[in-house]
Each structure stands twice: as C-alpha cells, then as structure tokens.
Amino acid sequence: MVVRPLSLSLLASCALISACHEYTPRNPLPLLVSSAASGSEARACDPSPERGAPTGRTPAPSASGALTLIDLVGDDRLAVDAGFFTAWSDDGAEVFYSLARGVARWSVADRTLVAYYAFPTAGTAPGWIAVSRDRRWIAASSATRGRDGAERSHTWLIDTTGAIATRRVEGFGSGPLVFSQDQRAVLQGARRLDVASAAVREPRGATGESIVFADGTRRLSIERANNTPRALVLEDLESNAVLRRFGAVDTILSVAASLDGSTIAFVSNGALEVWDARSLERRATITDLRGARLVSLSPDGARALTETLTCTTLAKQKSGCPSPDMTLWSVATQQPLWRQRDHAGMRWVFSRDGGFLTGDDNRYVELLLRSATGQPARFGQRIRSISPDGRWVLYDDGPRVSLASSDGANALPSIPRTVALAPNGASRVTYSTQNQLRLEGADGCRALDGGRGAIESLWYTSDASALFTVDQSPTGHTLRAVRTTDARVFWALALDGRGATGVRVVIGANTALAQSTDHDEVLRFDARTGRRLPDGHAPRLRYHTPVGGGGLTYEVRDRGGDRVSHLALAQLASDGRTVLSLSDHDNRPWVSLWNLDDPSAVRDLLAPSRPRLVAPSRDDRQWAIAAEDHRVRWVDRQGFLWRDAREAHRAEVVALTTSADGARTASASKDGDVFVYDTASGAVVGRASFVLDHGTHLAFATDAGREVLVVETQRGMRARFALR
C-alpha cells in the first residue's frame, strides 16, 4: 500500500479536513556545531596476526551454484559461532559443545575437532548436554518452536559409534542432564531416561523444590503446608520412602548435597547443619553465619561454603539486608578457613575437583575463586566451564572461545573482532582484546582514536575511500571523516550543547547527515570537506509551513499518530536529498521515502515483515532490505514496490550487501548460510554454508580481474568465493 500526501491550496481550510490541526514546532534544546581538530596522523599499531590456513579440522564451508571457494584463512580451533552448553569427558581430555544444530567434540590437547554430530532436525536454541563415562553416549537437549510460538524441549540420544541411529525423546531435557553411575540412564533431576529403550520414567510424589543426589537414588525436597515450609525431606527415589525429615528450610538454595553423596548440608533457623547422608547422623552445627542463607558443599563433603543473598533495593527498603559475607568452613573443626565480603551472593558452587568456586551448570561467571584461599582467577571476558580435574578453563576471548590451563598458561592467541568491512573488501576495522579500534588493510594498521571520547559508531563510504566515526563525550559528539589509505582525519565537527544527546548520523556518497533526537531538522554537510549545507527537514504527520507565494500545506495521512521523523535505520541516496527510513506504527512496520528539501513529499510502504538491515545499490535505483521473517526483499525507488527473494533464510539475516553494479545481492544468516541473489529476478544463484560459524560482514571485491565475494565470520575467519 502506498499512502500519498494531499496538498491543499490557500482556498482550503483546516476545518475542511477531519481532525486536522496546525503543527506546532518544538522548542528544542540548543545544539552547537563547530569545527574540531583534524589533520592528525593516526598512530601505527601492530596488525592482527596473519591468518593462515585453519588447523582445527573444522569442515570448510560448502559452496554451490555461482560460488566456488577460493580460500579460507583463520584460526578455527575450538570454533563456535553461537550460544552453547558444555560437558567434559571424565578425564578432562575432551570437551563437548551442545549447539542448536548439533554437538561438537573437541580434543583439549591440540584444540582440534574430533567429531561433529548434527541433529537430524535443527533446534531453535542449544540445551543441556551430558556424556557417558566411556564417551559412547551423548545426551543433548534442544528446543523447537511450535506453531503457537511456544518452545518445546526434547533430547537427542547420540551413539558416537554409529551403531544405533540418533533418537529424539520428546518432553525431556528442560533441566541439567547427567548420566547415572551405571551409564544406563540419563537423569534430569528425578526423571530417568533409559538409554536402551529411550523410555522416560517419571518420579513419584512432588517434583517441586528439590535436589537429586548425583547417583540419582535419593532426593532432598522441601515439604510445605499452605505454602509455608515445614520440613526438609530425604527420600529414596526407588521406593519413594521417606528416609528422614529435618528442620524447616526456606529455600532450596539453602540446601546442598556433596558430589560423592556422603554429606547433606542446609541452613535452618539461622544455623548451618551438616549431616552424614548414609548414617543420618549430625556432623556439625555452625551458628556464626552472619545472615548467610546460601550453602554449597565440596565434592567430598569436608568443606561448606555459606554466603549471604544478594540484596535488592526493595528488600533494603522493607527490612534491611545483612552485610555481604562469604565463609568457607571446615566441617570437621566447625571453624572458618577464610572469610570475605567481595564476591558474596553469587551462588558459588565447587568445581568437580574441589579446587575452585564457580557458577552452576547454567550460569557463566566473570571470574573463578580458588577455594583454598578465596582469591580470584580471571580468564577472558567470561568463564564458561572448568574441566573435572580442574586443569583446564574454557572461556570467551573476543570473538573466539579459548582454553587455558588453570594457572593461566597454554592459552590460545587472542583474535580481534571485525566490526566493519569496506564495501570493496580492501580494508576492515577490527576491535582488539585491548579494546582498541584499528583500521587494517594492505597499507598496514592504524589506530582509530576518538577525539573526545570512545568511538560509538562508524561507517564506510560506498566507494570505501573514507570512514566516518562518531565518538561520544560527556558534552556531546564528534563526527570525523577519516581517509582509509592512512587513517588521517581530513575534517571533523563537534556537536555540543544540551541538544547533542542521541545524535544519529547517516552517510551518503557526497553528503553526511546528523540529527539529534531532540531536533526535527536535519544537519547536512559536504562529506568531502565538512562544509555546512542547508539544513534538511523531516516529515511530520501534519506539517504546516509557509510555502512559496504564501499559504499553507497540510500533509494528511490515512493512519493516525506520529510518523517517524528521525534518521532511524536510514539510508541516503547519492543526490543528498532522498532518505529511506524505517518506522513502526500500530505495531506494523513501514518503509518511508522522503525528501529533505520538501518534507511533505513522502511515500509510505507497508512492509511484509519488520525490516532489520538495509543495503542500497550504488546506482540508487533500489534498496535491499532483510526482515524479521528471514527473507530479503528489494524496494524499487521509482515504483516504490516490494520484490521478494524467491527463497528465505532459515535464521536471522545478519549481513547484507550489493554488488557495485547492483546486479547481485548477498546475505548471510546466523545458521551459517550465505546466499547470492540475482537482484532482478530475486533467485538464489549461489550459496555457501559454514559449520560452527556464520558470516557477519560481506563485500563484493575484484581479484585479478575476477569478481569475488569476501565473507568475514563470527569467529574471525575470512573466506573468499569466486563468482561465476
């Protein structure tokens, strides 16, 4: 649907138009524009490590149709491109990733891929994973989304020998998984999945707040009456018999069982009680808890950790909170081994070897604590898992997952993240693990420094000759134009004042736009010199302004409410006047085409699905748009009509680009697929697929006279495909 404005002459009256009213300009906060320092020479920096041939044994991306793989470079060891859960072999020699589409099995010694087990049907999210002691069986849960939009869990049983086909068990796997001691069953709490028959045995009795022992034979649960805790109950899961009732416990977080099944601990009436789980005799009572309610036991039950809950602002206002406290106790002596305040309330649990305090199975942590001293140990951005023997730590390091020994040695080298790729593929902007932005290309590496603050956004021009950056400081923003050959700033503008908050910038072929969220008007600059051009105007629902010869012009829509009047997900045509922007109204997505010189000349087009990415063709004839429904579409500028790609991606589209002549469009999705389209027909003429990776930046380039598609990936790889 195209909604067109209606212009009325001087003879028209606002009263003739239902609900028409005069637009009242806002009184915006002041926005000050001034020249900023330019001409500075960028500092040289150490370029990213040269990317050689992969050594991690991950499969190379497949290619078909118009695409042929030329080369793939980068470090693919321990490769992963999305969220995942982990499990280890008992000896810590292998680590397993559970992903939405399969399970990756890695050797710890050389960080190479041992095997990849693809699920027969890909899920929408990764789930829990467990590995049998002999490594024959893998249980990995996943989820799929039904027609009603709800996600439903299921578990895959994978025979790594291949003797039995992978089986799917519905309704099992919504919590942590572990193999029973005899390896014949997978346990999810008190639920048992028989490996041989794939049958699920449900527990008898209540299944609410409970802790199941590691061997799956007993359970601790809270017995309540009228929602009031009455007792902590120890049950035998085979006979459903109650073995013992203990004192009342407020929350299951106040209960713990040791990994070896020998010890029970719980906080009741302000004291920590420790019991022998076999003889059911009390081993210790500790009262000096200082308000602590959380408890965890070492694997052998010899040590107990107590800590206070993290206090919320509301709780402080209502009743106050105890001071942070975390104490490690010797159960034998009932004396503290150490006590501290710094990291209390994080719900620490012991690692399987007892040497560290870490997060539970479904929670990443920023650091580990050495259980002997309480001292922190840090690895990368966040820690995912620690091996059963405590020797290895798996953690996030920039765009990659890395592995180091627990003393910090033997780590994989860091890889910078690509944050922007030139349209011709000749250079890229990377973000190092030292939090530094760098422009890297054939001419070397140059540091990109914000003049008054950190760089918050950047764009390449369509011809890749310049890079525009915006940095933010407490007083405003600075827009800088940077040559890509030497990273020298050739002009810069400071945008200051109280109206300089929320500045959006759009870069065209020869024009730069800037607009504060507090202003209706759009600042225009010559992108080559920074010279101020006449301001542009944004469209409004009903626009009232003097026109040539006097009179009034009203812009009338057939949809109520305010339209977008700011540069949201906008693209600027090479004429420096025509803007394509995205808006949302009545919970429906719209694409609007408007003119900075005549804001009443607006065309609106209802989008079939909410747009997420926009890529213009360099001849300005059309725009490629990727939407929430995973389909790429094109909007023709002349007719302002939609044209659909004949095939949609199966996952979110995260990268989109067009060739220099506009004849081809390329897109990449989170599931690893890359499509190349014939723009005129919308047909997919070439495709590639990555395993354990996906494209994040795309560029059509020329190499030795042939057209090439360059793909930068999530894990720091670069693939080049020849185009036919």
Side-chain angles (χ1 to χ4, degrees), residues 317-538:
Q317 293 171 346
K318 284 188 173 181
S319 59
C321 295
S323 298
D325 181 84
M326 179 165 59
T327 305
L328 184 70
W329 302 91
S330 165
V331 172
T333 67
Q334 302 184 43
Q335 296 299 311
L337 299 173
W338 52 257
R339 184 166 241 154
Q340 63 165 277
R341 297 166 49 93
D342 290 345
H343 305 292
M346 297 297 293
R347 291 195 296 125
W348 298 101
V349 297
F350 283 86
S351 58
R352 287 174 61 181
D353 72 316
F356 291 91
L357 297 173
T358 181
D360 50 30
D361 290 334
N362 64 340
R363 182 168 58 91
Y364 306 137
V365 291
E366 295 182 358
L367 53 86
L368 300 172
L369 296 178
R370 301 186 187 278
S371 63
T373 63
Q375 295 301 306
R378 299 180 184 274
F379 298 82
Q381 282 82 41
R382 64 177 183 175
I383 296 164
R384 289 181 173 267
S385 186
I386 185 168
S387 63
D389 56 9
R391 292 181 56 200
W392 299 100
V393 179
L394 192 73
Y395 60 95
D396 288 350
D397 184 24
R400 77 172 312 152
V401 172
S402 193
L403 188 70
S405 53
S406 55
D407 61 3
N410 305 307
L412 290 173
S414 297
I415 297 175
R417 176 184 285 108
T418 298
V419 296
L421 181 65
N424 61 4
S427 66
R428 63 175 178 148
V429 177
T430 61
Y431 188 68
S432 74
T433 52
Q434 289 76 39
N435 303 325
Q436 182 188 61
L437 278 172
R438 303 104 58 86
L439 178 62
E440 300 191 60
D443 298 318
C445 177
R446 297 283 179 175
L448 293 173
D449 296 319
R452 300 185 297 172
I455 293 175
E456 62 175 16
S457 50
L458 52 87
W459 307 263
Y460 275 98
T461 54
S462 58
D463 62 0
S465 64
L467 184 72
F468 285 80
T469 69
V470 174
D471 65 57
Q472 184 177 19
S473 71
T475 60
H477 294 74
T478 305
L479 172 62
R480 298 176 183 276
V482 182
R483 274 201 308 253
T484 53
T485 52
D486 57 7
R488 185 182 293 272
V489 177
F490 60 92
W491 64 262
L493 291 171
L495 306 174
D496 291 308
R498 289 185 296 163
T501 58
V503 170
R504 294 188 178 101
V505 173
V506 176
I507 304 299
N510 301 303
T511 308
L513 306 181
Q515 185 186 35
S516 165
T517 53
D518 190 56
H519 288 247
D520 291 325
E521 306 313 313
V522 179
L523 307 182
R524 279 196 284 195
F525 307 94
D526 187 311
R528 295 158 296 191
T529 64
R531 180 173 61 89
R532 181 82 175 263
L533 302 174
D535 288 352
H537 307 281

Side-chain angles (χ1 to χ4, degrees), residues 92-107:
E94 292 183 343
V95 63
F96 297 74
Y97 298 168
S98 175
L99 304 150
R101 294 187 294 161
V103 172
R105 178 179 181 178
W106 297 92
S107 165

Side-chain angles (χ1 to χ4, degrees), residues 473-644:
S473 71
T475 60
H477 294 74
T478 305
L479 172 62
R480 298 176 183 276
V482 182
R483 274 201 308 253
T484 53
T485 52
D486 57 7
R488 185 182 293 272
V489 177
F490 60 92
W491 64 262
L493 291 171
L495 306 174
D496 291 308
R498 289 185 296 163
T501 58
V503 170
R504 294 188 178 101
V505 173
V506 176
I507 304 299
N510 301 303
T511 308
L513 306 181
Q515 185 186 35
S516 165
T517 53
D518 190 56
H519 288 247
D520 291 325
E521 306 313 313
V522 179
L523 307 182
R524 279 196 284 195
F525 307 94
D526 187 311
R528 295 158 296 191
T529 64
R531 180 173 61 89
R532 181 82 175 263
L533 302 174
D535 288 352
H537 307 281
R540 291 179 274 268
L541 179 65
R542 293 174 178 87
Y543 191 88
H544 169 214
T545 185
V547 294
L552 304 175
T553 299
Y554 290 94
E555 180 191 346
V556 181
R557 326 303 293 171
D558 65 356
R559 54 189 176 99
D562 292 333
R563 67 154 56 243
V564 66
S565 61
H566 288 81
L567 303 175
L569 275 177
Q571 293 285 341
L572 177 64
S574 60
D575 61 11
R577 297 187 302 272
T578 306
V579 175
L580 180 91
S581 63
L582 310 180
S583 61
D584 222 69
H585 178 73
D586 286 341
N587 203 30
R588 293 189 299 173
W590 297 79
V591 175
S592 298
L593 195 65
W594 44 282
N595 190 305
L596 289 167
D597 294 333
D598 181 6
S600 64
V602 185
R603 290 189 289 175
D604 294 327
L605 185 63
L606 181 64
S609 178
R610 186 163 282 102
R612 290 301 187 196
L613 296 174
V614 183
S617 63
R618 298 182 202 178
D619 60 6
D620 279 347
R621 290 184 300 175
Q622 58 198 349
W623 286 270
I625 297 177
E628 278 186 351
D629 64 357
H630 309 158
R631 189 177 296 275
V632 172
R633 296 175 175 85
W634 294 266
V635 175
D636 178 78
R637 179 177 174 181
Q638 188 65 33
F640 206 47
L641 298 171
W642 289 109
R643 187 173 69 258
D644 286 10

Side-chain angles (χ1 to χ4, degrees), residues 101-123:
R101 294 187 294 161
V103 172
R105 178 179 181 178
W106 297 92
S107 165
V108 169
D110 57 9
R111 283 80 157 176
T112 58
L113 186 68
V114 176
Y116 179 71
Y117 310 99
F119 298 147
T121 305

Side-chain angles (χ1 to χ4, degrees), residues 27-171:
N27 185 23
L29 296 170
L31 176 63
L32 309 176
V33 181
S34 61
S35 296
S38 62
S40 58
E41 185 174 352
R43 295 181 293 108
C45 56
D46 294 328
S48 301
E50 185 174 350
R51 294 184 284 192
T55 60
R57 300 179 187 170
T58 57
S62 61
S64 60
L67 292 178
T68 303
L69 181 65
I70 300 172
D71 55 32
L72 176 71
V73 293
D75 189 346
D76 64 334
R77 291 174 291 176
L78 296 175
V80 70
D81 72 322
F84 66 98
F85 287 69
T86 57
W88 299 78
S89 60
D90 264 15
D91 59 2
E94 292 183 343
V95 63
F96 297 74
Y97 298 168
S98 175
L99 304 150
R101 294 187 294 161
V103 172
R105 178 179 181 178
W106 297 92
S107 165
V108 169
D110 57 9
R111 283 80 157 176
T112 58
L113 186 68
V114 176
Y116 179 71
Y117 310 99
F119 298 147
T121 305
T124 55
W128 305 94
I129 181 171
V131 179
S132 64
R133 198 161 40 246
D134 61 4
R135 305 184 211 176
R136 175 180 176 180
W137 294 100
I138 299 172
S141 66
S142 185
T144 52
R145 194 177 301 278
R147 293 182 178 179
D148 58 0
E151 284 195 342
R152 295 173 174 83
S153 297
H154 54 266
T155 291
W156 297 101
L157 280 177
I158 301 170
D159 182 356
T160 60
T161 68
I164 299 176
T166 297
R167 291 166 290 171
R168 172 170 166 162
V169 182
E170 298 294 341

